[in-house]
Structures are given as structure tokens and as C-alpha cells.
């Protein structure tokens, strides 16, 4: 007997609620007795009272004999008397004899007195719920209008929160059409849904809004927003109406995003050879929003910081952030909405492609941003960082329960996924890859897909064995480090799994490999399929007498960092690369990649810190934004670990790091220059923030002076938005419990700011103080009612002096944090931000003991990853403590002049 028939037989033997419900407990997926085809949803939200009433009629295809219907519902009160099923071929109405909820699994079990007839029918359910304050399901967000605090109603259904708004088959594979009606909406409010409005009927001060029926889509993409908004609009070349909605008075801040959206829709249409499928696109800035944005079909919702740009008070980094998020969400209209992953195991088909496509769009719209030079620093490097942990997971990750889904919205699905796509495109060729993607989208539009469907389309379109390559990257976690040695004129190449723990994993990959010798015109490509190979490069070296010319004797593997792996060079090859870096013989991305790999290899204790610092010295005259950005991150992490391992060297380390950044600081200066690049504008803020954190006296004094001018005049040109974070951090370096003037001034800036980006800049600076009393005060402020709950995580960037304060604060406030952030990535960010910086095995025991009975499935993986990072840090500290030449090297580097 099949498992399905066996289960169904058991269901039919029992009629008691407890036994009926128990049959469905703990199942990863809903049973497939019935398939939803269409939802007719009626919602009556009361935004003032923060509650709603609703009803849903679901057109169902009963495909197997059953007297049970099992669907999802959570945080809803179901009206049992309202539940009925009507068969379309007869007039018979079946009333549910029992209505049971399994809260742990968020399912609604409807037990009918007799077997339901196969074929089409309509399931009707009435319900009511609360507009919660958790930023999920159907929730409330607050805003001020004319000095009065008001509510708006907002939906956030991804990944599994549609069930908190209406009972439904809340799985991506159960795609259906949706017809939305919003009732009793105050007439002055804007009411939006996925589709255009058909009709509005006024009755007194209220209105009922009817919307067009949607195309087939998944429940997590259904959306509604009700609130007071201004908007601006434009049209694409093929007539799609695009609008940006925001709080009253902020419409001008939506202009940049609107322009990006209109151009991006056109670019994606041309690239994929499929037009945007809906008649309109609305983008809405929501004051309270847990994620960066949400790609709801035709109604994309955003944090204000990800959609609004103020010409006077937003920084260059804010501008790029808006373009990035808009391009990402609009890519989802094809990758995720039109073609949806079948189950969350294949989330990367949504998020990896949306991330990668956003770079294509930004490169098209803003070529001067050199966005592909930023890809490695912002995407690949971050993906490599997480995937170097033993507690990482494959791209195709098993998801056995809905409670596990939130934790896979991480750097593997987004950043590693995008990096693997980029690597495949480079290997297969741009045109072939583009045609294959168009085929994949056309073949699966209005349906679902799995990774094997993408592989099949790529293999057909490119004519190469894509399966064996992709499988090695998507079905196993981790990535390789490729060790390379030069013997005579032969390269000896060996791959092994890279782990920060220093141990050797057993992974094996098929690696699209590239290398060049001395110049970028002589490049070789091949597949590294074995554990080790040798390559004779005599012809490469003899062409231009490269072996005797230092400027042309370098050898670089993984050209332009296209491949998702690290490279470890022997001492001779590393020395030649160092010379090439100093003399700018390597491309920006290759300089960046070598730096990032060297740092990772050092953390894994396969390179001494002495060697890493000596190598970093080659970057003293670096001016490129992406390299500087990576260098800043590395100096922060190295500074923290040296403070634990060799605190007596900290003053020398700081002086060395200041020396690394002074050249670029002098070139950039404090004030914007006419005609300067977007990247230089971003670098200015990063460099001066780093120098402030390092305690550079001249930077602290200049930044503080400019801050005081800003306090007197918020529009002063002396504190451009690009350098405000640097000024705020500088101010906090001088604050103490006995001298809180700077801290209080920053709080005043926070309270007076209307721009969300300004508020997060302040929040991200308050805990940079070295004073533990101030850090505790700043952490408490982050949890206060003055800070929107989604923004509190910005206040967790504590200085190294504040680690223990933050840990004690987290423990003391855990119940409150749990109550506010009891699901999703915000809770995990609290845990990882506070736990990961530690570097002692004793702290591991303390953390494990505290969380022994305080965890939940959505944070298990993050907790394990954070604990693993603490162990890695601890081993690194021990290793550094034993380095004999470190002190002498650091002292020499500290006094070296540019």
C-alpha cells in the first residue's frame, strides 16, 4: 500500500479531533488531496483598532478521495459555522463537522462528515485576526501626519505568513489566481493590492475597493497596503504605469527609485525576451519593515532607507543601496514571481538570480559605478566568509519544516548563489547563458521550477555537461582552496576544501579555472576536475621574457575573481604578486581578491599574521574603493584579534593601519570635488570613519569641528552626508560617562531627523564609544520606543571594549528581544552580532549554556555558526600569541612612511 493510501486509510478510520489532527502533525508539506485554483479574498481592516475581519472562497480541485481538507492558518480565529464546501456539479453543500487547529504546525484541519466528491468545488471560510506589530503577516506600521500618530496596514507574507492573514495552501508550489476586495477602508486612505483597481464604491466616509484578478502566483506574493500616501509616477516605453508611494511630503525622495525602476523593467524585458507581465508596478516605502524589501507581484514594499533618496541628506552609499534593492526586487518579478521555486530548498533560484541580475541592471544604468568591481567585495567575499564554516549549508538545502525556512534567507542563498551564477555565465559564455535563461523562464512561466530544470535549460542551450559542474557547487556545502606552487616552469595545482577551522574537509569540486602570466592578454582557461594537476607554462613565460621582468613575472589564478574559491600561493609566487600589487600591475578586482584570500587563509591559521601584515603593506597607496573597503574590514577584524592575543602591540597596530589609509585620505580630502566619481564619494566616508575608529588625532579633531558646525546649521556644506558617519564616530570616541555632551548631541540629531537614513547613521555610531557605561546606555536606547524595532540591530556594532557589556545586555533583555523579534533574520542578527566577536572557549560554554533552553528552529543554524566563529577566533588568538617575529614586524611597519 502506498504511503498516501495508507495515510488516507488511517484518516478515514478515525473521526475524533485529536486523532485526526495528530495524523498531520510534524509534516514538512501539506497533503495533496486538494489543489487550490483561485482565491476570492475579502478583508475588512480596522487600522485604528488594529484588527481585521475576513472571508475567503477558494476554488478547489479535489483530486483524491478524502473527507479532510488540510491547509495553513496561524494567528487567526476561525468561525467554525462559516466553513463549508460546495461542489460545482451539484447543489450540495458540505458543512465541516470538526474544525481543528494544530498550532505548532500552523495547519487548519477540516473534517467533513462524508467523503468530498472529486472535481471542482468551493471552500468558504470566515475568520478574524489582529493587525500585529511583528512586521509579518497582516501587520500595522506607524507614522506621523500633522503631528498625530497613525497606523497603516501592511502585508509581509514571505516566506510563510500569508496564513496569518487568510487560510490558504501556503506553499510556493500551490500557485493560484487571487481576487482581492478591501472593505470599509477610510475614504482618505490609499488602498493598494497586487493588481489595478477595478472600482471604488463610497459609502459615507468609507469605501470598498475591488481589484482585478491576478495571474497565477504563490501565496507569499499576495499583498495589500492601506495608509496615507503621496505618490509620483512614470511609464515604461511599453506603457506600464510605475508609481512610488511614500509618506505625505516625501514624494520627491522617490524620484531616483522611480527612474531606476522604469529603466530596469525595460532592461530585464530585453535581456530575458519576456515583458513585465502585469499592467502596473507600485513601490511603497513602509516605515516599519523587517527585511530590506519584498517583491510582491506588482506591489513591491520597501524599508524607507531602501527606496527613498534625498539629494541633500543622503550619501552616495545610500544612492547605490536604493538602486541595488530596486533592481533586485524587480528581477524577482521574473525570477520568483513569474517562475517560482517549487520548494524552499531551491530558494537560490529566486534570490541568487535576483542578486546577480541586479548587477547586470546597475552596470547598464550606471556604468561609471564599475559595479562588477564591487561584486566580489559585496557578494562573493561575504558568501565565502559564511561558506568557510563547517556549519554552513549547501545551496540546495533540505527544508523539513516551515519553521526552518527563515534561517536559509542567508548569504548562501543570496551571495553564494549569485556568485555561482556569475561563474557559470563566464564559463558557458554570455550569449549562450542569456538564451538559456530566456528558455528557462519561458518554459516554466506561471509555474514552478527546481534546480534540475535550470540545469537542463543550460545544458540544452550551451551544449556542455553543465550537470556535473553545477552539482558540485549546489549540492554540497563549502568551496575549495586551490594551492599553487611553481616548480621550474610547471604549475602544480591542488584543490582541497577550505575551512576556517583549519581542518581539511572532504569536498571535491569541478572548478572552472583561469590563470594569466604577467599580463591579461595571455589567459588560459580549463576545468580542474581532479584533486591535483600540473600545467606547463613555458610558452606563457617565454613569449615576452616574463620570467626575468618583475613587472611581468607574476602568475594570477582565478582571474578577476570570477570563481567561487580561494587561492593559496607558495612564497615565491606570493612575493611576485606583492610586487605587482605595489606597482599597480594587477586589476582592481585581482588586488582585492588576493587580499581577501590572504586574510581568510591567515584566519584559518595557514598563514602567519606576520606574513599577512607584511602583505597588507603593499596596499599603502591604494585608491580604489572596493579594495579600500575590504582593507578596512580586515583591519577592524585584525585589530580586534590582536587586542585579545597581543594587547601590548595595539598602539603599533593602530599606527600601521593609520599609515595604510593616510595616503587615500589625503588624496580624497574632506570635501567633495567637482566631477569626482561615485566610488570616491563612497570611499571618503569609509576612510575617515576608519581613521576615527583608529583614534587618528587629526581626523578626530577635524571631524568634531565639522560636527559642531552641523549642530548649528543642518545644511552646512562642512558636513556632507558622505562623511557624517565619520563625524558621528569621531564624536563618540571622546564621549565618556563623565562627559556625555557628544552623545547627547547625537541623540538630538537622531530625534530631529526625519530621514530614516540619518537615523540609522546615528544608531550605527552610538556604540562605537570605548566607554562601557555609554555603550550600555546606547544599547538600551536601541531597544527604546524611540527606535523602530527593525532598526535596533544597527545599534549592535559595539567597539571591542563593549563585547562583554553587549553580551550581558543581551542576556538581561532576552525575553524582551524574543517577544519583539521571535522569528526571522532580525533575531538571528542580534545573536550573531553579539556572540561572533568573542574569542575564547570559555565564552563558547557560556553561550551554549545560556541558549540551551532559549532557542527555536529559525535561529539554530545561526547560533551554531556564531559559536563556531568564536572557536575559530579563539584558535587564531592562540596562534598569534605564539608568533615570534610579530612584534618586530609590527613595530617596523608602524614607523614606515609612505
Amino acid at each position: 500500500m502506498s504511503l498516501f493510501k495508507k495515510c488516507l486509510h488511517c484518516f478515514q478510520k478515525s473521526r475524533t479531533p485529536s486523532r485526526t489532527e495528530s495524523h498531520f502533525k510534524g509534516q514538512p508539506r501539506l497533503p495533496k488531496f486538494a489543489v487550490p485554483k483561485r482565491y476570492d479574498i475579502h478583508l475588512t481592516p480596522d487600522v485604528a483598532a488594529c484588527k481585521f475581519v475576513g472571508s475567503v472562497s477558494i476554488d478547489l480541485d479535489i483530486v483524491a478521495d478524502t473527507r479532510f481538507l488540510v491547509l495553513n492558518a496561524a494567528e487567526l480565529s476561525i468561525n467554525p459555522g462559516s466553513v463549508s464546501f460546495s461542489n460545482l456539479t451539484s447543489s450540495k453543500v458540505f458543512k465541516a463537522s470538526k474544525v481543528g487547529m494544530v498550532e505548532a504546525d500552523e495547519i487548519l484541519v477540516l473534517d467533513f462528515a462524508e467523503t468530498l466528491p472529486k472535481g471542482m468545488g468551493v471552500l468558504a471560510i470566515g475568520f478574524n485576526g489582529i493587525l500585529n506589530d511583528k512586521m509579518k503577516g497582516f501587520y500595522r506600521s506607524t507614522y506621523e501626519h500633522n503631528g498625530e500618530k497613525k497606523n497603516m496596514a501592511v502585508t509581509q507574507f514571505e516566506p510563510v505568513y500569508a496564513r496569518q492573514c487568510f487560510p490558504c495552501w501556503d506553499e510556493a508550489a500551490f500557485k493560484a489566481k487571487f481576487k482581492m476586495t478591501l472593505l470599509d477602508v477610510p475614504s482618505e486612505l490609499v488602498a493598494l493590492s497586487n493588481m489595478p483597481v477595478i472600482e471604488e464604491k463610497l459609502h459615507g466616509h468609507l469605501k470598498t475597493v475591488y481589484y482585478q484578478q491576478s495571474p497565477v502566483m504563490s501565496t507569499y506574493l499576495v499583498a495589500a497596503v492601506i495608509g496615507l500616501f503621496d505618490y509620483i509616477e512614470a511609464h515604461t516605453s511599453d506603457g506600464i504605469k510605475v508609481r512610488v508611494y511614500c509618506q505625505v511630503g516625501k514624494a520627491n525622495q522617490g524620484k531616483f527609485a522611480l527612474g531606476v525602476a522604469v529603466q530596469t523593467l525595460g532592461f530585464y524585458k530585453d535581456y530575458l525576451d519576456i515583458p513585465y507581465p502585469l499592467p502596473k508596478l507600485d513601490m511603497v516605502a513602509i516605515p516599519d519593515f523587517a527585511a530590506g524589501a519584498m517583491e510582491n507581484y506588482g506591489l513591491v514594499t520597501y524599508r524607507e532607507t531602501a527606496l527613498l533618496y534625498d539629494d541633500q541628506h543622503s550619501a552616495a552609499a545610500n544612492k547605490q543601496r536604493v538602486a541595488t534593492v530596486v533592481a533586485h526586487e524587480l528581477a524577482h518579478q521574473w525570477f520568483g514571481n513569474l517562475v517560482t521555486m517549487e520548494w524552499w530548498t531551491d530558494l537560490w533560484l529566486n534570490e541568487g538570480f535576483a542578486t546577480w541580475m541586479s548587477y547586470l541592471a546597475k552596470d547598464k544604468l550606471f556604468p561609471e559605478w564599475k559595479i562588477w568591481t564591487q561584486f566580489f567585495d559585496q557578494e562573493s567575499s561575504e558568501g565565502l566568509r559564511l561558506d568557510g564554516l563547517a556549519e554552513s549549508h549547501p545551496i540546495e538545502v533540505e527544508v523539513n519544516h516551515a519553521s526552518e525556512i527563515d534561517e536559509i534567507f542567508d548569504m548562501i542563498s543570496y551571495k553564494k548563489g549569485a556568485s555561482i551564477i556569475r561563474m557559470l555565465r563566464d564559463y558557458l559564455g554570455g550569449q549562450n547563458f542569456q538564451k538559456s535563461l530566456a528558455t528557462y523562464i519561458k518554459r516554466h512561466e506561471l509555474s514552478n521550477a527546481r534546480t534540475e530544470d535550470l540545469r537542463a535549460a543550460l545544458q540544452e542551450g550551451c551544449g556542455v555537461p553543465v550537470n556535473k559542474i553545477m552539482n558540485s557547487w549546489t549540492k554540497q556545502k563549502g568551496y575549495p582552496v586551490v594551492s599553487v606552487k611553481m616548480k621550474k616552469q610547471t604549475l602544480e595545482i591542488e584543490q582541497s576544501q577550505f575551512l576556517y577551522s583549519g581542518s581539511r574537509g572532504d569536498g571535491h569540486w569541478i572548478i572552472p579555472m583561469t590563470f594569466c602570466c604577467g599580463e591579461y592578454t595571455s589567459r588560459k582557461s580549463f576545468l580542474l576536475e581532479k584533486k591535483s594537476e600540473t600545467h606547463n607554462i613555458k610558452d606563457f613565460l617565454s613569449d615576452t621574457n616574463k620570467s626575468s621582468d618583475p613587472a611581468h613575472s607574476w602568475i594570477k589564478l582565478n582571474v578577476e575573481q570570477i570563481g567561487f574559491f580561494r587561492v593559496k600561493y607558495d612564497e615565491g609566487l606570493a612575493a611576485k604578486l606583492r610586487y605587482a600589487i605595489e606597482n599597480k600591475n594587477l586589476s582592481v578586482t585581482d588586488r582585492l581578491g588576493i587580499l581577501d584570500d590572504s586574510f581568510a587563509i591567515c584566519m584559518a591559521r595557514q598563514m602567519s599574521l606576520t606574513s599577512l601584515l607584511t602583505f597588507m603593506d603593499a596596499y599603502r597607496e591604494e585608491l580604489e574603493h572596493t579594495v579600500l573597503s575590504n582593507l578596512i574590514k580586515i583591519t577592524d577584524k585584525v585589530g580586534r584579534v590582536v587586542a585579545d592575543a597581543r594587547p601590548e602591540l595595539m598602539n603599533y597596530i593602530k599606527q600601521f593601519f593609520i599609515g595604510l589609509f593616510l595616503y587615500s585620505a589625503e588624496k580624497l580630502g574632506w570635501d567633495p570635488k567637482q566631477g569626482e566619481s561615485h566610488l570616491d564619494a563612497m570611499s571618503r566616508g569609509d576612510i575617515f570613519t576608519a581613521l576615527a575608529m583608529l583614534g587618528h588625532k587629526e581626523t578626530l579633531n577635524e571631524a568634531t569641528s565639522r560636527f559642531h558646525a552641523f549642530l548649528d546649521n543642518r545644511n552646512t556644506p562642512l558636513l556632507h552626508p558622505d562623511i557624517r558617519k565619520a563625524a558621528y564616530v569621531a564624536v563618540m570616541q571622546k564621549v565618556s560617562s563623565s562627559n556625555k555632551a557628544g552623545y547627547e548631541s547625537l541623540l538630538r540629531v537622531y530625534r530631529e531627523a526625519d530621514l530614516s537614513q540619518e537615523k540609522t547613521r546615528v544608531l550605527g555610531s552610538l556604540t562605537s564609544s570605548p566607554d562601557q557605561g555609554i555603550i550600555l546606555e546606547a544599547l538600551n536606547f536601541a531597544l527604546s520606543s524611540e527606535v523602530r524595532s527593525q532598526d535596533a540591530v544597527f545599534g549592535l556594532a559595539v567597539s571591542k571594549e563593549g563585547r562583554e557589556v553587549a553580551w550581558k545586555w543581551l542576556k538581561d533583555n532576552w525575553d524582551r528581544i524574543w517577544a519583539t523579534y521571535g522569528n526571522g533574520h532580525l533575531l538571528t542578527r542580534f545573536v550573531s552580532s553579539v556572540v561572533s566577536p568573542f574569542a575564547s572557549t570559555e565564552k563558547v560554554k557560556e553561550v551554549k549554556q545560556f541558549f540551551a533552553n532559549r532557542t527555536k528552529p529559525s535561529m539554530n543554524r545561526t547560533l551554531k555558526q556564531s559559536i563556531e566563529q568564536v572557536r575559530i577566533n579563539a584558535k587564531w588568538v592562540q596562534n598569534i600569541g605564539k608568533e615570534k617575529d610579530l612584534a618586530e614586524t609590527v613595530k617596523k611597519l608602524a614607523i614606515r612612511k609612505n
Side-chain angles (χ1 to χ4, degrees):
M1 185 182 290
S2 71
L3 180 61
F4 172 79
K5 290 181 179 177
K6 191 173 182 180
C7 291
L8 189 58
H9 176 69
C10 293
F11 299 153
Q12 292 172 339
K13 283 172 62 179
S14 171
R15 296 281 297 276
T16 63
S18 58
R19 290 195 63 192
T20 297
E21 291 160 25
S22 68
H23 286 303
F24 299 99
K25 286 183 178 178
Q27 299 301 310
R29 306 283 291 269
L30 292 171
K32 295 183 171 66
F33 305 140
V35 179
K37 297 297 183 181
R38 179 183 179 274
Y39 292 78
D40 191 353
I41 304 164
H42 287 69
L43 296 174
T44 307
D46 186 334
V47 292
C50 300
K51 61 185 181 180
F52 65 95
V53 176
S55 65
V56 62
S57 297
I58 309 172
D59 293 357
L60 286 181
D61 186 8
I62 307 296
V63 296
D65 288 334
T66 180
R67 70 162 208 273
F68 302 101
L69 292 175
V70 183
L71 61 162
N72 295 112
E75 309 293 332
L76 294 175
S77 296
I78 306 297
N79 177 3
S82 71
V83 179
S84 66
F85 178 80
S86 305
N87 180 253
L88 293 186
T89 60
S90 69
S91 58
K92 186 169 183 179
V93 176
F94 299 79
K95 300 293 289 186
S97 57
K98 298 179 181 66
V99 175
M101 293 277 285
V102 182
E103 291 186 7
D105 297 315
E106 299 183 336
I107 59 172
L108 175 65
V109 181
L110 307 178
D111 185 354
F112 294 86
E114 54 187 300
T115 300
L116 301 176
K118 288 183 182 180
M120 293 301 299
V122 178
L123 173 66
I125 305 175
F127 53 90
N128 59 76
I130 300 297
L131 292 174
N132 68 76
D133 60 355
K134 308 298 183 186
M135 296 180 289
K136 62 178 182 176
F138 201 11
Y139 74 94
R140 65 182 182 270
S141 176
T142 61
Y143 62 101
E144 280 194 11
H145 180 62
N146 294 332
E148 183 181 353
K149 189 175 181 179
K150 293 179 176 291
N151 294 328
M152 64 175 69
V154 185
T155 58
Q156 170 59 42
F157 291 164
E158 190 181 35
V160 289
Y161 303 129
R163 63 191 66 178
Q164 294 188 8
C165 182
F166 59 97
C168 57
W169 275 255
D170 201 11
E171 294 180 6
F174 286 113
K175 298 182 89 166
K177 296 178 180 179
F178 293 84
K179 181 81 166 59
M180 178 72 76
T181 303
L182 297 175
L183 298 90
D184 291 351
V185 176
S187 57
E188 72 275 11
L189 300 185
V190 174
L192 304 170
S193 190
N194 305 87
M195 299 299 290
V197 173
I198 298 174
E199 183 184 11
E200 287 191 2
K201 288 185 178 179
L202 282 171
H203 36 100
H205 297 296
L206 301 175
K207 63 183 176 182
T208 297
V209 188
Y210 303 87
Y211 300 89
Q212 291 180 22
Q213 181 172 284
S214 78
V216 169
M217 64 181 183
S218 300
T219 49
Y220 77 88
L221 296 169
V222 177
V225 175
I226 300 138
L228 194 62
F229 296 104
D230 278 346
Y231 72 87
I232 53 173
E233 75 175 36
H235 291 80
T236 65
S237 59
D238 51 350
I240 304 298
K241 182 188 292 182
V242 183
R243 286 181 174 179
V244 173
Y245 287 87
C246 52
Q247 289 187 57
V248 173
K250 295 185 176 183
N252 282 339
Q253 295 177 22
K255 284 183 178 179
F256 176 69
L258 182 65
V260 170
V262 168
Q263 293 179 77
T264 298
L265 286 178
F267 172 71
Y268 290 158
K269 171 193 170 186
D270 294 340
Y271 186 85
L272 296 168
D273 196 27
I274 296 178
Y276 173 71
L278 299 185
K280 62 94 174 176
L281 172 69
D282 294 329
M283 305 194 299
V284 190
I286 306 297
D288 299 282
F289 201 81
M294 176 59 211
E295 65 268 20
N296 312 302
Y297 224 171
L299 178 56
V300 185
T301 44
Y302 297 79
R303 280 192 188 200
E304 290 189 334
T305 54
L307 187 65
L308 305 183
Y309 174 78
D310 185 298
D311 288 326
Q312 189 171 1
H313 295 290
S314 296
N318 300 133
K319 188 175 191 177
Q320 183 170 307
R321 169 69 174 159
V322 169
T324 296
V325 179
V326 169
H328 181 103
E329 301 310 319
L330 299 198
H332 273 309
Q333 306 301 304
W334 286 263
F335 292 95
N337 299 10
L338 189 61
V339 179
T340 313
M341 82 259 140
E342 193 275 337
W343 180 239
W344 300 99
T345 291
D346 292 303
L347 175 63
W348 83 288
L349 293 178
N350 284 19
E351 300 301 348
F353 271 100
T355 301
W356 176 76
M357 288 288 292
S358 74
Y359 278 80
L360 283 181
K362 285 182 290 182
D363 189 47
K364 177 72 173 178
L365 271 57
F366 307 103
E368 69 277 10
W369 289 3
K370 301 177 184 176
I371 204 69
W372 288 111
T373 69
Q374 299 184 56
F375 183 91
F376 180 82
D377 184 49
Q378 296 185 1
E379 309 301 336
S380 299
S381 175
E382 294 298 308
L384 289 164
R385 182 173 64 81
L386 179 57
D387 211 26
L389 299 178
E391 292 291 349
S392 181
H393 63 82
I395 284 178
E396 295 182 70
V397 58
E398 285 299 316
V399 177
N400 296 310
H401 195 272
S403 61
E404 301 172 6
I405 296 170
D406 269 316
E407 66 176 351
I408 64 168
F409 280 80
D410 63 4
M411 289 184 285
I412 302 301
S413 299
Y414 286 73
K415 298 176 184 290
K416 182 180 180 179
S419 300
I420 299 308
I421 292 164
R422 187 186 186 209
M423 181 171 68
L424 280 171
R425 178 186 182 272
D426 185 75
Y427 175 70
L428 298 172
Q431 283 191 335
N432 286 340
F433 191 79
Q434 182 178 348
K435 290 177 183 176
S436 299
L437 275 191
T439 299
Y440 163 77
I441 294 288
K442 286 186 176 75
R443 184 175 295 169
H444 300 286
E445 64 179 317
L446 300 176
S447 186
N448 298 86
R450 298 181 176 185
T451 299
E452 49 260 42
D453 298 315
L454 174 65
R455 284 197 294 262
L458 291 175
Q459 186 138 330
E460 290 172 24
C462 302
V464 295
V466 176
N467 274 349
K468 65 176 184 177
I469 300 172
M470 279 189 67
N471 284 347
S472 74
W473 294 97
T474 64
K475 290 188 176 296
Q476 63 178 332
K477 66 182 177 182
Y479 57 87
V481 56
V482 175
S483 301
V484 56
K485 299 176 182 177
M486 181 77 155
K487 288 192 176 177
K488 296 182 179 179
Q489 293 182 318
T490 300
L491 283 182
E492 296 182 354
I493 301 173
E494 180 182 3
Q495 67 159 295
S496 60
Q497 184 172 354
F498 178 85
L499 289 167
Y500 282 108
S501 63
S503 59
R504 291 175 70 92
D506 56 3
H508 179 214
W509 288 263
I510 298 175
I511 308 172
M513 178 65 70
T514 55
F515 70 85
C516 54
C517 302
E519 59 188 18
Y520 286 94
T521 54
S522 57
R523 170 172 164 168
K524 182 175 182 180
S525 303
F526 62 95
L527 276 183
L528 177 61
E529 301 189 55
K530 301 175 183 177
K531 281 282 188 182
S532 61
E533 292 183 11
T534 59
H535 288 263
N536 190 307
I537 59 170
K538 179 179 179 181
D539 293 341
F540 281 86
L541 296 175
S542 61
D543 286 348
T544 55
N545 200 25
K546 295 172 186 172
S547 58
S548 60
D549 180 359
H552 295 284
S553 62
W554 52 268
I555 296 171
K556 172 66 172 66
L557 273 68
N558 194 15
V559 180
E560 300 294 353
Q561 298 301 124
I562 299 292
F564 192 78
F565 57 91
R566 298 200 183 277
V567 181
K568 181 183 179 184
Y569 298 91
D570 68 16
E571 288 187 11
L573 292 173
K576 291 177 179 179
L577 286 170
R578 187 184 187 282
Y579 179 90
I581 289 166
E582 282 184 318
N583 290 275
K584 303 295 190 293
N585 299 132
L586 296 180
S587 71
V588 174
T589 311
D590 280 337
R591 297 202 302 275
L592 166 62
I594 293 167
L595 176 64
D596 197 73
D597 286 352
S598 299
F599 171 70
I601 290 166
C602 180
M603 185 186 284
R605 308 186 318 283
Q606 296 176 30
M607 173 194 288
S608 68
L609 182 61
T610 305
S611 297
L612 175 65
L613 294 175
T614 303
F615 197 84
M616 289 168 64
D617 193 49
Y619 292 84
R620 277 183 185 264
E621 296 187 2
E622 185 60 64
L623 290 173
E624 290 290 341
H625 169 72
T626 49
V627 186
L628 288 171
S629 173
N630 196 268
L631 193 62
I632 289 167
K633 286 184 271 190
I634 290 172
T635 56
D636 178 64
K637 292 172 184 175
V638 169
R640 288 173 182 262
V641 79
V642 170
D644 285 325
R646 305 286 288 273
E648 75 280 5
L649 298 179
M650 276 307 296
N651 286 336
Y652 297 106
I653 282 283
K654 285 183 177 181
Q655 286 307 307
F656 169 49
F657 290 165
I658 287 169
L660 286 179
F661 299 131
L662 278 181
Y663 180 81
S664 56
E666 290 167 0
K667 290 286 185 182
L668 291 166
W670 282 91
D671 298 305
K673 295 180 175 64
Q674 186 71 30
E676 72 178 0
S677 73
H678 167 78
L679 295 178
D680 281 350
M682 291 206 297
S683 290
R684 179 176 293 108
D686 291 348
I687 287 294
F688 284 114
T689 301
L691 286 170
M693 285 297 298
L694 289 166
H696 182 238
K697 188 175 294 184
E698 288 81 356
T699 297
L700 294 179
N701 291 339
E702 180 67 20
T704 303
S705 174
R706 289 172 179 258
F707 176 71
H708 287 304
F710 176 70
L711 285 180
D712 293 335
N713 175 14
R714 292 292 196 273
N715 296 316
T716 178
L718 290 175
L719 200 65
H720 190 276
D722 291 329
I723 59 169
R724 285 184 194 169
K725 176 73 178 290
Y728 300 163
V729 167
V731 167
M732 289 307 300
Q733 302 315 296
K734 298 181 178 182
V735 168
S736 67
S737 297
S738 59
N739 179 17
K740 297 168 61 174
Y743 175 73
E744 290 166 351
S745 294
L746 275 174
L747 288 183
R748 179 155 60 91
V749 172
Y750 180 91
R751 287 164 178 151
E752 293 175 0
D754 186 46
L755 187 68
S756 297
Q757 293 159 353
E758 191 70 78
K759 288 181 179 291
T760 56
R761 267 197 291 265
V762 175
L763 274 177
S765 306
L766 292 178
T767 51
S768 66
S769 168
D771 186 282
Q772 295 186 6
I774 292 295
I775 291 169
L776 179 58
E777 197 167 331
L779 288 169
N780 287 333
F781 177 74
L783 274 190
S784 73
S785 60
E786 292 191 68
V787 177
R788 292 187 185 272
S789 54
Q790 85 250 6
D791 292 335
V793 291
F794 292 107
L796 301 180
V798 299
S799 62
K800 58 183 176 293
E801 294 87 357
R803 290 180 303 183
E804 281 294 344
V805 175
W807 171 236
K808 184 176 186 303
W809 170 85
L810 183 76
K811 292 188 292 182
D812 290 345
N813 290 279
W814 182 250
D815 289 344
R816 182 179 172 189
I817 292 168
W818 179 279
T820 306
Y821 306 97
N823 74 285
H825 70 284
L826 289 174
L827 182 68
T828 61
R829 283 183 65 183
F830 270 89
V831 174
S832 61
S833 297
V834 173
V835 173
S836 296
F838 283 104
S840 72
T841 52
E842 291 76 16
K843 187 58 64 179
V844 168
K845 297 174 185 175
E846 189 180 337
V847 170
K848 291 178 75 173
Q849 183 178 359
F850 178 77
F851 284 110
N853 59 354
R854 293 181 174 90
T855 188
K856 62 190 307 181
S858 62
M859 61 175 279
N860 282 344
R861 181 175 276 121
T862 298
L863 181 59
K864 290 177 182 178
Q865 290 166 349
S866 299
I867 289 171
E868 183 183 356
Q869 186 63 60
V870 176
R871 288 196 175 106
I872 290 165
N873 295 344
K875 290 179 181 178
W876 197 18
V877 165
Q878 292 171 3
N879 222 51
I880 292 170
K882 299 173 185 176
E883 289 192 30
K884 295 180 180 179
D885 300 328
L886 180 61
E888 182 182 354
T889 299
V890 170
K891 290 174 184 178
K892 287 181 179 178
L893 291 171
I895 61 174
R896 181 171 179 260
K897 302 296 182 184
N898 287 341

